[in-house]
Amino acid sequence: MALIELRGVDFSYSEMETPVLKNINLTVEAGEFVSIIGGNGSGKSTLAKLLNVLLVPSAGEVIVDGMNTADEENWLKIRQKVGMVFQNPDNQLVATRVEDDVAFGPENLGIPSPEIRKRVDKALEAVGMEKFKDNPPHNLSGGQKQRVAIAGVIAMEPECIVLDEPTAMLDPQGRKEVMETIHFLNKEKGITIIHITHFMEETVGADRVIVMNQGSIHKSGLPLEIFREIDDLKKLGLDVPLVVELAHELRKKGVEIPAILSINELVDSLCS
Amino acid sequence: MLRNITIGQYMARDSIIHNMDPRIKIVITIMMITALFFIDSFSGYGLFFLSVLVIISLSRIPLLRIIKGLRPVLFLVMLTLILHVFFTRGGEVIWQWGFISIEAEGLYTGFFMVTRIVLLIIFTSLLTLTTSPLELTDGIEYLLSPLKRVGVPASELAMMMTIALRFIPTLLEEADKIMKAQMARGADFESGNIVKRARNLIPLLVPLFISAFRRADDLALAMESRCYHGGEGRTRLYELKVKGTDFAALGVALLLCMVFIYF
Ligand SMILES: Nc1ncnc2c1ncn2[C@@H]1O[C@H](COP(=O)(O)OP(=O)(O)O)[C@@H](O)[C@H]1O
Ligand SMILES: [Mg+2]
């Protein structure tokens, strides 16, 4: 059974307006690393909010680990299974101390205090923030705040983490920290990751890339397959990484280059 | 300019007083302050002051810090003194000039009241100096929780206090940024009379409020996605535990209060 399954999902914020999401069909298996890209307003955040019942579909159904999100009794269980990390690092930390913030989720679940202690320590270690456990969050860097937010989700022991443009407000160093953290969690802890981004180079290393356009899934495939059709992506208003575009232009001029995603791969293929 | 402020006046130290249960500290503070109003002689104040000194030395808070904490109430203290000295009548006339006179009763009541205010401020600031805002919030939540049955949302109030404490520095930082951005465009926050200055604050306050509402919206979503559903069934990372020293302190405080009230 798939971990997350969307069947014919439509969503509109108000009945008058045209739907923001149209007929979305999507399955995510446990342990996958899925990247979702798409232009502004293509419905990525709306889709993310459907996955942990911050929104409920207007038509169709969202099934998480066999539980339908339409049934209110399942909401807490689904939110425990599918954690969410948001774009703005400041606006999702609740407490005045890092460890208290990480404890917030388990506290809401009614977990006994000694068990919370264990989970908080484990979660902070998993994101490499154990040294900061007594700090107030407002003194941390953006990347560190996002890692604390991720720890807060891990402490709830979820099966899947949905991250909605977690790097959009970070500097390059912070972006690197966050990307390394989520790849580590996926590989070492087996946590399913759904990573929404508008930086295409961040989809490198994903098992699957889903391209959204105007509320529909435009296409989905391996990162290499998606990157091959550059003109198509540009038409959707997406920024293609410079190396990929360079390789594309060279290919047009007759240089033989296989599909590449990173600068190292380009160097290797040009120098061989 | 707004950046370096700290919330509250908590001074982290490793002392008996710091390690006491916040609930007991709050209860003792309330008891002692109530008792303070029953004291009717300077010898009573002497005893109270002595116990304050003992607490200060146990808490390892520098005396200077506590004296500094009195600065904001200096005006109130002076005003009380002056009003009593010049307007309370009775007893021997000590000094007279035309219709203005200072009489013994006024002098006595003036100093009596001032001592009371100063002791009151020192005792309450001992609570906030030795208890972190987080512990205070926890303590208040526990103490209010019996009132849950009559509809007081104790846990929710505590949550609100925590969030306020969490976001004050963030909003101050933001205010600072907006202020600088507006100053770069020629806004003037420092000159003019009060009305003009207040009006000049509008370009600061409007963006600040808009952003605060945005943040509140985001935060509500983030809390919901982390399974927040009110205080019901919530557990805590740190559970408050009353220790031996807490009971001892409570005992001593009770004894002192009896002395203050009956003698
Ligand atoms: N709370 C809301 N109320 C009404 N419309 C919304 C709301 N949030 C988003 N929208 C609209 O839904 C569409 C998709 O938005 P969103 O899911 O945020 O896209 P993305 O995250 O891909 O930028 C946009 O046209 C946006 O204006
Ligand atoms: Mg979005």
Side-chain angles (χ1 to χ4, degrees), chain A residues 40 44-46 87 164-165 196:
Chain A
N40 268 336
K44 304 184 296 293
S45 297
T46 309
Q87 177 174 1
D164 187 1
E165 304 199 27
I196 295 168

Side-chain angles (χ1 to χ4, degrees), chain A:
Chain A
M1 185 179 59
L3 180 60
I4 295 175
E5 196 169 352
L6 281 76
R7 298 193 201 121
V9 168
D10 287 356
F11 183 84
S12 40
Y13 281 97
S14 71
E15 277 167 28
M16 275 89 79
E17 282 166 48
T18 53
V20 171
L21 292 178
K22 285 162 284 215
N23 191 28
I24 303 277
N25 291 293
L26 175 68
T27 31
V28 178
E29 300 292 336
E32 257 193 300
F33 191 120
V34 179
S35 282
I36 300 179
I37 55 175
N40 268 336
S42 59
K44 304 184 296 293
S45 297
T46 309
L47 178 63
K49 285 177 190 151
L50 286 169
L51 301 181
N52 73 344
V53 227
L54 293 175
L55 298 172
V56 182
S58 326
E61 48 192 16
V62 179
I63 311 287
V64 176
D65 205 18
M67 292 178 286
N68 194 324
T69 63
D71 188 351
E72 197 168 335
E73 275 180 15
N74 295 333
W75 287 5
L76 284 184
K77 272 185 247 158
I78 292 174
R79 287 183 187 143
Q80 180 267 317
K81 281 201 191 300
V82 181
M84 181 112 164
V85 174
F86 297 85
Q87 177 174 1
N88 190 319
D90 271 317
N91 299 358
Q92 54 186 322
L93 301 180
V94 195
T96 45
R97 234 171 23 158
V98 165
E99 66 172 8
D100 287 296
D101 189 83
V102 176
F104 182 72
E107 287 177 342
N108 291 333
L109 295 173
I111 310 252
S113 157
E115 168 75 13
I116 299 182
R117 178 77 264 162
K118 273 189 230 150
R119 287 189 181 199
V120 167
D121 291 341
K122 237 168 72 185
L124 282 172
E125 202 189 305
V127 300
M129 287 294 291
E130 63 272 31
K131 282 202 197 76
F132 297 87
K133 73 182 177 67
D134 289 322
N135 285 45
H138 68 94
N139 286 343
L140 303 177
S141 75
Q144 289 172 331
K145 282 180 197 161
Q146 284 303 52
R147 276 150 65 200
V148 171
I150 293 171
V153 171
I154 298 173
M156 298 172 74
E157 303 194 333
E159 312 212 348
C160 174
I161 305 181
V162 181
L163 302 103
D164 187 1
E165 304 199 27
T167 60
M169 298 176 72
L170 306 183
D171 57 13
Q173 171 62 29
R175 283 170 59 183
K176 200 169 146 249
E177 286 171 24
V178 169
M179 289 314 297
E180 281 171 2
T181 306
I182 60 180
H183 276 288
F184 168 80
L185 293 174
N186 180 250
K187 287 213 182 61
E188 304 299 324
K189 310 269 168 190
I191 298 175
T192 311
I193 301 281
I194 298 177
H195 172 225
I196 295 168
T197 180
H198 68 247
F199 296 115
M200 211 176 296
E201 60 267 38
E202 287 184 354
T203 63
V204 176
D207 296 324
R208 184 148 58 111
V209 177
I210 290 167
V211 185
M212 302 261 311
N213 184 36
Q214 294 184 352
S216 306
I217 293 181
H218 181 69
K219 62 173 145 191
S220 103
L222 293 171
L224 279 177
E225 292 166 9
I226 300 296
F227 280 115
R228 208 171 289 147
E229 289 154 69
I230 287 179
D231 295 324
D232 184 40
L233 294 175
K234 279 185 155 177
K235 239 180 272 159
L236 303 181
L238 293 169
D239 293 323
V240 179
L242 194 63
V243 272
V244 174
E245 195 163 1
L246 178 62
H248 183 63
E249 294 299 324
L250 286 172
R251 232 175 270 132
K252 272 192 201 159
K253 294 270 186 279
V255 184
E256 277 211 19
I257 300 176
I260 55 109
L261 289 172
S262 69
I263 197 149
N264 287 339
E265 286 175 302
L266 180 64
V267 172
D268 286 348
S269 71
L270 284 176
C271 299
S272 58

Side-chain angles (χ1 to χ4, degrees), chain B residues 46-62:
Chain B
L47 183 60
F48 195 98
F49 186 63
L50 207 68
S51 41
V52 166
L53 280 184
V54 170
I55 298 174
I56 293 175
S57 67
L58 284 177
S59 71
R60 304 203 195 153
I61 302 273

Side-chain angles (χ1 to χ4, degrees), chain B residues 63-224:
Chain B
L63 202 60
L64 199 71
R65 180 65 217 269
I66 289 167
I67 295 168
K68 263 193 200 155
L70 287 171
R71 237 184 344 208
V73 291
L74 200 62
F75 175 75
L76 182 71
V77 167
M78 293 317 279
L79 191 72
T80 311
L81 189 62
I82 288 168
L83 286 179
H84 276 293
V85 165
F86 286 101
F87 296 105
T88 303
R89 306 272 140 201
E92 198 183 324
V93 177
I94 293 169
W95 180 81
Q96 186 146 31
W97 185 72
F99 59 90
I100 303 170
S101 70
I102 296 177
E103 295 172 19
E105 194 75 8
L107 214 56
Y108 182 81
T109 331
F111 279 104
F112 195 82
M113 285 307 186
V114 164
T115 315
R116 183 180 282 176
I117 295 174
V118 169
L119 287 175
L120 181 92
I121 301 294
I122 292 181
F123 208 90
T124 35
S125 69
L126 271 176
L127 176 67
T128 50
L129 279 164
T130 63
T131 319
S132 71
L134 199 77
E135 284 180 299
L136 269 183
T137 316
D138 276 358
I140 292 169
E141 176 178 357
Y142 275 93
L143 290 174
L144 286 181
S145 59
L147 296 179
K148 274 182 194 164
R149 244 174 283 151
V150 293
V152 176
S155 321
E156 286 75 10
L157 285 173
M159 192 73 229
M160 278 155 70
M161 263 170 74
T162 311
I163 291 174
L165 287 169
R166 153 76 187 83
F167 277 92
I168 286 167
T170 309
L171 288 178
L172 281 176
E173 222 165 85
E174 182 155 43
D176 197 44
K177 248 186 245 164
I178 297 173
M179 216 157 154
K180 284 193 180 121
Q182 304 286 33
M183 274 153 78
R185 298 180 199 159
D188 180 7
F189 293 107
E190 263 130 36
S191 60
N193 59 23
I194 288 188
V195 179
K196 194 154 170 251
R197 270 204 235 178
R199 193 173 306 142
N200 288 348
L201 278 181
I202 293 173
L204 170 68
L205 292 179
V206 171
L208 197 61
F209 268 86
I210 291 173
S211 130
F213 280 112
R214 230 222 108 76
R215 285 180 195 281
D217 220 29
D218 284 1
L219 189 70
L221 264 187
M223 286 170 67
E224 212 176 323

